[in-house]
Amino acid sequence: MSSQYPDVAHIYQNHHLDNSRWRYFKPRKGDIVIATSYKTGTTWMQMICIHLVHHGGEIPLRSEVSPWLDMRMESIENVIESLEAQSFQRVIKTHLPLDGLPYHEELKYIVVCRDGRDVFMSLWNHYDNYTDEFLKQINSVPGRVGPPLPKSHGDIHRFWEEWITTGWFDWESEGYPFWSHLRHTQTWWAFRELPNILFVHYSDLLSDLPAEIARIAAFCGIERNDEEIDAIASQVTFSNMKANADAILPGMDEAFHGGGKTFIHKGTNGRWRGVLTDQDLARYDEAVQRELTPECANWLERGNKVGS
């Protein structure tokens, strides 16, 4: 565990990401930053935090109050203008590793993680269902650095081999054609003892959602009693999220075959069993040993409660 504060060490710019956009961000004490690699429960955590902040009042659309700040597709001027107009506790999404994100002591960082094999299965569903129109839209945004995001070739095992052995950026060794998952987790894990960083595991959200929501509320300084926590938990179960996918994620029909219900897919773990071969799993073990400390690897596989 480093005793120093995190610092930006890399420039993350590709077809999706641009970490230079954070230079325009003006932090406010208590802002909540939800940090994930991808497919670890990002939207789920956004909805949990939005419900915590706005419980008892009108729940705003996720897209209107919780922007993905480092995503190139939306004008940074529009994103910052929207954030500046918010008078309540703000909820912001990032997919940046901690070595690419400016750190602020006055913010609350919630890092949501998941076993890499489960992330892969969800990412495959996500990537393989991109529409041609959305892929073109991503790649045609002015200012893209590096090659375009390639179209899925439709072969899950070939995708696994690429994803687990190749990085998009020179300093990464897994995550292609997006960005790292394992290394992303480790960059945050190295600073997990900082009081304004909270680790949440996808498996724990599945196993005891009210308890995790209560833990998140306490971390964010949001006072909610047991009855309120239970009410929020009932509203943000994965089944409710799936049923209301089109409302939570408007416009997804243009981006994904199947729309929002493709984006919010199964919500289960372990689907990699019977899909990934012994050779595939050996590749995963090699990547884990290469990228994660043993303690981080154990937590990423098991979480705080499940399997402990």
Side-chain angles (χ1 to χ4, degrees), residues 25 35 42 79 89-90 92-94 96-97 119 144 148 151 179 210 212 215 217 219 221 248 265 277-278 305-306:
F25 174 69
T42 316
V79 171
Q89 192 169 13
R90 302 183 299 183
I92 303 139
K93 163 185 169 181
T94 181
L96 291 171
V119 166
R144 190 192 73 230
K151 180 180 174 62
W179 48 90
E212 289 301 290
R215 191 166 70 96
F219 172 75
I248 295 170
H265 187 43
T277 67
D278 289 345
K305 304 178 182 69
V306 177

Side-chain angles (χ1 to χ4, degrees), residues 2-20:
S2 172
S3 60
Q4 299 178 345
Y5 289 124
D7 197 10
V8 174
H10 292 291
I11 297 173
Y12 287 89
Q13 293 176 324
N14 69 358
H15 40 74
H16 274 73
L17 299 177
D18 182 358
N19 65 336
S20 72

Side-chain angles (χ1 to χ4, degrees), residues 39-100:
K39 313 315 297 179
T40 66
T42 316
T43 301
W44 198 2
M45 185 57 66
Q46 285 176 286
M47 293 306 298
I48 289 169
C49 290
I50 290 169
H51 275 267
L52 281 170
V53 170
H54 296 278
H55 185 72
E58 183 178 353
I59 304 299
L61 287 175
R62 178 201 67 116
S63 58
E64 293 180 353
V65 295
S66 183
W68 174 7
L69 203 153
D70 28 277
M71 171 54 149
R72 298 176 56 249
M73 292 183 69
E74 177 68 26
S75 159
I76 186 59
E77 290 80 12
N78 290 346
V79 171
I80 296 301
E81 182 180 0
S82 174
L83 284 173
E84 288 296 307
Q86 296 179 25
S87 59
F88 40 80
Q89 192 169 13
R90 302 183 299 183
V91 180
I92 303 139
K93 163 185 169 181
T94 181
H95 280 324
L96 291 171
L98 187 49
D99 63 0

Side-chain angles (χ1 to χ4, degrees), residues 83-284:
L83 284 173
E84 288 296 307
Q86 296 179 25
S87 59
F88 40 80
Q89 192 169 13
R90 302 183 299 183
V91 180
I92 303 139
K93 163 185 169 181
T94 181
H95 280 324
L96 291 171
L98 187 49
D99 63 0
L101 181 71
Y103 168 81
H104 301 280
E105 288 184 77
E106 65 268 35
L107 304 190
K108 301 287 188 177
Y109 296 92
I110 302 176
V111 188
V112 193
C113 302
R114 191 180 187 187
D115 186 300
R117 294 161 294 190
D118 294 310
V119 166
F120 169 77
M121 294 301 295
S122 184
L123 182 64
W124 170 246
N125 170 75
H126 178 94
Y127 177 47
D128 197 48
N129 278 293
Y130 274 170
T131 63
D132 290 342
E133 292 78 9
F134 186 55
L135 196 66
K136 181 179 179 180
Q137 186 180 5
I138 291 171
N139 288 325
S140 63
V141 175
R144 190 192 73 230
V145 175
L149 176 67
K151 180 180 174 62
S152 170
H153 42 61
D155 184 334
I156 190 172
H157 292 286
R158 178 179 163 191
F159 181 58
W160 169 263
E161 181 71 15
E162 293 167 348
W163 183 74
I164 202 62
T165 64
T166 308
W168 184 270
F169 299 104
D170 291 342
W171 53 92
E172 296 177 343
S173 69
E174 37 83 32
Y176 181 90
F178 292 89
W179 48 90
S180 71
H181 167 62
L182 297 176
R183 184 182 178 279
H184 182 286
T185 303
Q186 186 64 51
T187 65
W188 286 94
W189 183 263
F191 293 92
R192 67 194 181 279
E193 292 180 10
L194 289 175
N196 63 333
I197 295 179
L198 178 73
F199 270 75
V200 177
H201 200 285
Y202 191 93
S203 293
D204 296 330
L205 291 171
L206 287 175
S207 67
D208 196 343
L209 185 56
E212 289 301 290
I213 292 175
R215 191 166 70 96
I216 293 161
F219 172 75
C220 294
I222 300 172
E223 294 186 6
R224 298 288 178 231
N225 59 38
D226 291 346
E227 183 178 350
E228 291 172 318
I229 293 293
D230 288 341
I232 292 171
S234 68
Q235 292 171 316
V236 299
T237 60
F238 194 90
S239 59
N240 277 349
M241 295 268 291
K242 179 82 171 180
N244 296 294
D246 291 336
I248 295 170
L249 302 162
M252 283 295 172
D253 287 340
E254 299 175 3
F256 295 93
H257 298 294
K261 287 182 171 59
T262 294
F263 187 93
I264 301 178
H265 187 43
K266 292 287 188 181
T268 58
N269 289 332
R271 291 188 295 114
W272 52 269
R273 294 185 176 91
V275 175
L276 298 180
T277 67
D278 289 345
Q279 183 178 359
D280 292 335
L281 295 174
R283 288 271 195 261
Y284 182 72

